[in-house]
Amino acid sequence: MKSLVLGAALVLMLVGCGERRETAPTAAPQISPAGDVNAGKALAERSCKSCHGLDGKGAGPAIPHLAAQRERYLVAALREYKEGRRHHSGLRELAKKMTEADIRDIAAYYAAQPAVAAGPGADIKHSSPYEQGKKLSEACTGCHGADGNATETGTPSLAGQQPAYLVAAIHEYHRGDRALGTMQSMLSDSHRLDLENLALYFSVQKPVQRAAPKRGDPKAGEALSTACGGCHGAYGVSRDMQTPSLAGQDFEYLVKATKAYWTIRKNWGMQRYVAGLSEKDVDDLTAYYVLQEPRAAEAMPTPTQELAEKCNRCHDDESNLAMAAPKMRGQDKDYLIMALRNYRDDGDRESSTMHRMSFPYSNAMIESIASWYASQPAK
Ligand code: HEC
Ligand code: HEC
Ligand code: HEC
Ligand code: HEC
């Protein structure tokens, strides 16, 4: 019962005890010699049990499970605490007291524990921001149309709109930065996560092409639109999460929204570009954008599983000895959320790989991917 038993029961069943290490590429000198599982157990008993259990199951929310985690990842994580590259103060203190041998022993011990069974709290339905957003959208579709394709004159479509922009727009109504009673009162007490879920839902709906408006000259508008395309995208389909798409939007709404930057709406980029426009220019530009073919903004894979496939390239890869990516299936959900937010928000974890990966994710996305992993049986 050496630490070769990496706890990955499946791998062991298929490959047989010990074979993994024998067949591993020899060019991995940074992999330390195996730790002593019994010494690790004694240390766990003394210093770790109260939080991680003797079985490696986190004792509460946001405490990670260590059972069946990759040994090399546990070693790497403990070294990061020790060297101050991860800043959790309690663990830092603990790890500072540990010798290299202690680290290897404890890693060997926890890696060899059977994986934690997914708890009953793992509710995948609850975890889908898309489904939550869909449910919340019922409060909006009366005015904004089925799936966010508005038919009422003066009411904007939300279908396919950039999600970060939608959230920002709602905040503007809250703050009174935009004039309109109806919208201002609509969402006053929604939780931020709810807004993100709503925005995500609308952003992936298919926007519908509009008929030609009665006013405005789209040809003249096209010529003027060269000043707008740099931000609003070619043909008014924005590629930037903060900048709204204009293609296929309601005519009257767009006219009003553009003119609002002459008065109440504040955005320096916009204010500058619309300041010199005449009433006719606004009609022409709007006519041009209304006629363009709208396309949904959301480039992110919506089904959480598709996103997870991207993550699994590193996180499910048993063969990559150079990179210590942890297993995440069956991990504590709150812990995963916290870790991802830390990477994204430049928090107390430094990992340039993960930082780049998680940078574009909204809270809702993080919640969903964390729930997905937490609900997967660990292996
Ligand atoms: C007081 C509770 C507590 C004790 C005691 C404790 N831990 Fe932790 N441990 C935590 C928490 C909370 C985290 C998450 C910290 C973070 O955000 O970096 C954590 C994280 C870890 C991680 C990183 C896991 C990952 O998936 O990145 C390792 C490894 C770890 N602990 C090992 C140990 C070992 C070994 C001991 C005993 C020597 C120990 N811990 C004692 C609470 C504790
Ligand atoms: C009573 C009708 C009504 C309801 C219900 C309603 N809205 Fe609106 N909404 C409007 C109108 C009208 C506007 C345009 C206001 C303006 O001119 O600024 C608008 C504007 C918006 C905008 C700004 C769009 C943009 O392109 O800048 C967003 C975002 C929005 N609504 C989201 C929602 C959401 C989310 C809900 C449901 C929770 C909702 N609205 C419910 C009528 C409504
Ligand atoms: C420097 C970048 C930039 C340029 C150039 C620009 N915009 Fe914008 N535009 C934005 C941003 C960012 C917003 C969202 C601002 C906010 O939250 O109020 C916006 C918002 C808008 C809106 C409101 C949309 C809605 O759904 O409420 C309209 C309409 C608009 N722009 C039209 C134009 C037109 C027409 C031009 C060219 C004359 C143009 N913009 C040029 C960045 C730009
Ligand atoms: C290019 C490889 C790579 C990809 C792709 C990747 N990760 Fe990671 N991930 C890592 C590495 C390496 C670490 C360990 C970094 C550290 O020590 O902080 C890590 C750590 C994590 C952690 C901390 C877990 C723990 O136990 O502490 C989470 C959560 C995480 N990744 C989530 C994700 C998600 C979600 C995705 C997909 C959206 C993803 N990762 C994609 C390499 C990757």
Side-chain angles (χ1 to χ4, degrees):
M1 55 169 285
K2 283 305 272 270
S3 65
L4 316 181
V5 188
L6 283 176
L10 195 68
V11 170
L12 291 180
M13 269 154 47
L14 295 175
V15 184
C17 180
E19 250 174 58
R20 260 182 56 74
R21 204 160 276 256
E22 279 158 28
T23 53
T26 44
Q30 72 273 45
I31 303 295
S32 311
D36 175 339
V37 174
N38 285 325
K41 182 173 185 184
L43 179 54
E45 193 70 82
R46 280 199 309 279
S47 311
C48 325
K49 190 171 79 172
S50 56
C51 295
H52 294 289
L54 260 191
D55 55 359
K57 182 176 189 305
I63 302 180
H65 305 319
L66 304 181
Q69 185 52 277
R70 290 195 179 94
E71 190 176 348
R72 62 181 185 280
Y73 174 73
L74 292 175
V75 168
L78 286 167
R79 284 191 188 138
E80 284 179 356
Y81 289 122
K82 192 179 163 100
E83 291 156 16
R85 278 179 289 137
R86 279 171 76 167
H87 306 296
H88 189 276
S89 60
L91 275 159
R92 189 154 186 212
E93 284 314 306
L94 270 173
K96 269 201 327 223
K97 290 196 209 105
M98 292 167 79
T99 63
E100 269 299 302
D102 289 339
I103 287 179
R104 284 201 303 273
D105 294 346
I106 197 87
Y109 171 71
Y110 277 122
Q113 301 312 305
V116 172
D123 178 355
I124 192 79
K125 204 161 99 261
H126 168 77
S127 77
S128 161
Y130 180 89
E131 288 301 325
Q132 284 179 46
K134 184 175 181 171
K135 197 147 182 296
L136 292 163
S137 76
E138 286 161 16
C140 326
T141 46
C143 294
H144 287 284
D147 304 330
N149 278 297
T151 50
E152 194 73 33
T153 297
T155 304
S157 286
L158 307 179
Q161 190 52 281
Q162 286 291 347
Y165 171 73
L166 288 176
V167 171
I170 291 165
H171 284 305
E172 285 176 4
Y173 289 113
H174 285 181
R175 287 196 308 261
D177 292 354
R178 291 195 195 190
L180 191 98
T182 8
M183 275 307 305
Q184 204 170 329
S185 57
M186 269 313 296
L187 300 146
S188 50
D189 47 27
S190 323
H191 188 270
R192 179 162 170 81
L193 200 59
D194 291 347
L195 287 188
E196 287 182 345
N197 293 342
L198 264 169
L200 177 73
Y201 171 75
F202 282 121
S203 70
V204 299
Q205 300 309 308
K206 195 173 164 23
V208 173
Q209 174 97 54
R210 299 259 182 187
K214 297 197 179 70
R215 290 201 325 268
D217 173 358
K219 269 258 162 284
E222 182 172 12
L224 291 167
S225 75
T226 50
C228 324
C231 295
H232 288 282
Y235 309 105
V237 176
S238 167
R239 303 236 156 255
D240 171 47
M241 297 212 291
Q242 317 282 343
T243 308
S245 285
L246 305 176
Q249 188 52 287
D250 173 71
F251 182 85
E252 293 301 339
Y253 171 74
L254 273 190
V255 167
K256 184 178 160 208
T258 307
K259 291 179 180 171
Y261 290 99
W262 290 344
T263 53
I264 182 165
R265 281 179 75 168
K266 300 272 179 288
N267 177 279
W268 172 232
M270 274 302 297
Q271 285 168 281
R272 218 160 24 132
Y273 279 92
V274 301
L277 299 176
S278 68
E279 299 255 351
K280 178 177 181 306
D281 290 340
V282 174
D283 281 358
D284 294 348
L285 271 163
T286 305
Y288 167 74
Y289 278 121
V290 166
L291 277 175
Q292 302 312 303
E293 187 187 346
R295 253 172 300 144
E298 189 62 32
M300 211 89 77
T302 356
T304 307
Q305 225 160 320
E306 259 175 48
L307 178 61
E309 275 165 28
K310 284 193 355 191
C311 317
N312 288 342
R313 274 182 234 150
C314 292
H315 284 276
D316 268 1
D317 184 0
E318 294 286 346
S319 63
N320 188 349
L321 291 173
M323 190 182 342
K327 292 189 199 174
M328 294 196 292
R329 292 170 196 266
Q331 185 52 285
D332 179 73
K333 175 177 147 184
D334 295 308
Y335 174 70
L336 291 175
I337 290 176
M338 188 190 67
L340 281 165
R341 287 197 179 160
N342 276 338
Y343 291 126
R344 183 191 63 184
D345 304 337
D346 260 333
D348 53 9
R349 283 181 78 163
E350 299 163 13
S351 163
S352 53
T353 314
M354 279 310 302
H355 184 76
R356 269 200 309 278
M357 282 299 305
S358 46
F359 178 67
Y361 299 133
S362 66
N363 286 341
M365 214 65 197
I366 285 179
E367 160 123 10
S368 120
I369 192 86
S371 306
W372 188 82
Y373 276 110
S375 69
Q376 298 304 299
K379 49 177 191 181

